[in-house]
Amino acid sequence: MVIPHHRTESFLSWLKSWPGISYNFPMNQNELKRALSKLPLGDVRYFDSIGSTNSEALAWATDGAKDLSLVVADEQTAGRGRLDRKWFTPKGTALAFSLILHPTLGEKPYLTRVVGLAALAVTDSLRIHGLISQIKWPNDVLLNGRKVAGILVESIWAGEEVDCLVIGIGINVLKGAVPSEELLFFPATSLEESLAPNVAREKVLRDILAGIIALRPHISSDSFINSWEKALAFRGEQVQVEQGNGSKITGELVGLEPDGGLRLRDETGKTIPVRFGDVHLRPGK
Ligand code: ATP
Ligand code: BTN
């Protein structure tokens, strides 16, 4: 079928509105511009395909990007999680973006909380769309107990000080974004499995960015830590933290340390802080 150019957008909206039909179209740049137009962002770079939005943002930050500059991509060919583990972002199915932050002097003592800032903005934005999600400490967001989003915060140092942070967020929007089970260490899901297929990626992106911007001035407060704690998956339950060296810590997940580290309680009632690092949180003993 040939679609007259000026009618393409309304045709796509019509097609997307059909129940049960998934669509894999690249991100609509007009909708993206419209969605982001009211946010106080720096500059925005959009790519149909890129290696990793975090790599692009780190290079751009080194090259003088303004605070709140944004890199968005429709597809990542070398998306990554912590310690260079792979993050899959197939074309037309997901949200993948990186936001550059130049922390103020007041924010600098609280930079370990930035992963919580991003995670809370994701859970808040999903709530706007009627979805209740939880944060699997430190960097994942779960929907119905399955991973729907991952966060990777990276930093650029100037001597002893962090000069710049990049918050990278990946969200599985359509079912096609979810990798096959054998590639995963933790079960995954997509927004489509809980919402209608016509989830507007641009609007979810806008809501997350608006959330980060709104929460940022509160990052140093106790109420920020309280909100982050309330959103944690497995709170009050027995969990296991596997460390990169193979050792395991077991206990009840009671909350967070002031720096955003995890606080467990063992059988004797002793509090065990778990630091950020190569750690994997899992439910149960
Ligand atoms: P976990 O604690 O769940 O093991 P993690 O937060 O430690 O994961 P990373 O270590 O940063 O995650 O690595 C990313 C992991 O995410 C990969 O090892 C892969 O299993 C998983 N993954 C990759 N792409 C996706 C995706 N699109 N959706 C869900 N999970 C993914
Ligand atoms: C995780 O493993 O859970 C973190 C995944 C982070 C993925 C996002 S997608 C946008 C940005 N670019 C990347 O290469 N990684 C992050």
Side-chain angles (χ1 to χ4, degrees), residues 123-270:
T123 56
D124 287 351
S125 79
L126 296 187
R127 196 172 315 111
I128 296 174
H129 295 265
L131 299 176
I132 302 302
S133 56
Q134 278 97 29
I135 299 168
K136 180 165 86 66
W137 185 91
N139 65 325
D140 298 334
V141 175
L142 306 183
L143 201 50
N144 301 322
R146 295 174 159 259
K147 182 158 158 178
V148 72
I151 297 159
L152 176 67
V153 178
E154 295 184 293
S155 39
I156 298 175
W157 291 76
E160 301 282 285
E161 287 233 322
V162 170
D163 181 43
C164 194
L165 285 180
V166 167
I167 302 177
I169 302 182
I171 303 192
N172 299 329
V173 178
L174 298 182
K175 287 180 186 162
V178 179
S180 56
E181 295 273 326
E182 63 271 17
L183 294 170
L184 298 174
F185 300 109
F186 197 88
T189 188
S190 64
L191 298 185
E192 184 184 359
E193 280 156 72
S194 303
L195 286 173
N198 55 341
V199 188
R201 283 183 289 171
E202 300 81 1
K203 293 201 175 103
V204 178
L205 170 63
R206 176 202 60 201
D207 293 336
I208 295 171
L209 293 170
I212 292 176
I213 292 166
L215 280 169
R216 189 176 174 184
H218 305 284
I219 197 163
S220 61
S221 68
D222 291 345
S223 64
F224 174 85
I225 289 281
N226 292 340
S227 308
W228 185 2
E229 270 180 343
K230 279 195 192 126
L232 288 178
F234 318 124
R235 205 155 68 110
E237 296 174 25
Q238 286 294 314
V239 295
Q240 219 179 56
V241 177
E242 299 169 12
Q243 297 179 293
N245 60 10
S247 67
K248 288 180 183 164
I249 309 172
T250 303
E252 180 193 335
L253 194 161
V254 288
L256 293 168
E257 296 288 307
D259 67 354
L262 195 64
R263 187 180 286 166
L264 304 186
R265 191 188 299 123
D266 73 9
E267 290 152 349
T268 68
K270 197 174 97 198

Side-chain angles (χ1 to χ4, degrees), residues 18-90:
W18 275 68
I21 295 185
S22 274
Y23 60 96
N24 275 30
F25 301 115
M27 204 172 260
N28 181 309
Q29 290 210 49
N30 288 333
E31 277 179 33
L32 182 65
K33 269 198 195 135
R34 207 175 306 142
L36 302 183
S37 63
K38 297 215 169 82
L39 298 176
L41 295 174
D43 295 314
V44 179
R45 288 183 180 172
Y46 169 79
F47 297 85
D48 277 339
S49 181
I50 198 170
S52 153
T53 56
N54 261 38
S55 300
E56 173 70 20
L58 286 168
W60 191 12
T62 311
D63 207 21
K66 293 183 215 152
D67 188 45
L68 294 179
S69 288
L70 177 71
V71 180
V72 187
D74 188 53
E75 174 191 43
Q76 291 188 117
T77 54
R80 54 171 200 274
R82 295 178 302 157
L83 298 166
D84 263 346
R85 288 185 276 256
K86 280 193 191 336
W87 180 263
F88 298 93
T89 311

